[in-house]
């Protein structure tokens, strides 16, 4: 994909590649009744326990794929928009059981990929906006 973008998208185009957002559930995948009952952000000391490939963390695949993407973008004009580490802290920033529906977890499971609380998605947009302004020389 990187070589295609480099070959087909004009050099004058501002290009970003956003890395993946993390998952915070355990005990099954999001659609198999995995659960995530966190109501506070993680402390830094908790992150590697949850996400590090060396600890076989639940989010290890995202860190591994992100690392491969970072390597693939080296030497290109595609800018890395790395929001994964920032987002790993926010184990509380998803709908989970707070969907407002009785038995929501039993019926739908929990999907931590759909961030909904104010704060984290707004921060993503602020970072992207700042990068666009900076790169266009208006910031």
């Amino acid at each position: 994909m990187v070589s295609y973008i480099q070959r087909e998208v004009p050099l004058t185009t501002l290009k970003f590649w956003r890395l993946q957002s993390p998952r915070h559930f355990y005990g099954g995948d999001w659609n198999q009744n995995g659960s995530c009952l966190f109501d506070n952000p993680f402390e830094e000391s908790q992150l590697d326990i949850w996400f590090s490939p060396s600890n076989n963390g639940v989010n290890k695949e995202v860190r591994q794929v992100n690392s491969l993407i970072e390597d693939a973008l080296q030497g290109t004009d595609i800018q890395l928009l790395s929001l994964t580490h920032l987002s790993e802290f926010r184990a509380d920033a998803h709908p989970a059981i707070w969907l407002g529906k009785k038995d929501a977890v039993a019926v739908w499971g929990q999907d931590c990929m759909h961030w909904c609380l104010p704060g984290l998605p707004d921060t993503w947009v602020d970072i992207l906006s700042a990068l666009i302004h900076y790169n266009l020389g208006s910031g």
Side-chain angles (χ1 to χ4, degrees):
M1 180 60 79
V2 171
S3 61
Y4 175 83
I5 292 169
Q6 287 295 97
R7 185 177 63 249
E8 299 296 328
V9 178
L11 289 175
T12 56
T13 303
L14 187 56
K15 301 172 213 111
F16 295 100
W17 192 302
R18 182 187 58 83
L19 297 181
Q20 301 178 46
S21 60
R23 303 172 303 165
H24 297 99
F25 53 84
Y26 57 92
D29 217 344
W30 69 269
N31 61 350
Q32 296 178 2
N33 219 21
S35 49
C36 182
L37 304 176
F38 298 105
D39 56 6
N40 288 300
F42 280 148
E43 298 292 328
E44 182 141 14
S45 62
Q46 295 174 287
L47 294 184
D48 279 345
I49 294 168
W50 272 88
F51 302 114
S52 175
S54 63
N55 291 333
N56 203 27
V58 297
N59 212 46
K60 67 180 180 178
E61 295 89 359
V62 169
R63 282 195 175 182
Q64 291 167 333
V65 168
N66 285 351
S67 178
L68 293 172
I69 292 169
E70 288 180 50
D71 291 346
L73 294 180
Q74 293 294 317
T76 72
D77 65 340
I78 302 170
Q79 295 183 54
L80 187 65
L81 186 55
S82 179
L83 302 173
T84 306
H85 184 65
L86 165 79
S87 303
E88 285 176 344
F89 286 95
R90 291 303 307 272
D92 61 323
H94 58 80
I97 61 171
W98 299 276
L99 291 170
K101 305 226 187 288
K102 184 176 174 24
D103 300 324
V105 174
V107 175
W108 295 291
Q110 296 184 44
D111 185 356
C112 297
M113 296 297 284
H114 292 97
W115 306 83
C116 72
L117 299 177
L120 192 57
D122 302 314
T123 302
W124 294 343
V125 171
D126 289 344
I127 291 169
L128 177 60
S129 177
L131 285 170
I132 290 170
H133 284 286
Y134 175 80
N135 281 280
L136 296 179
S138 59

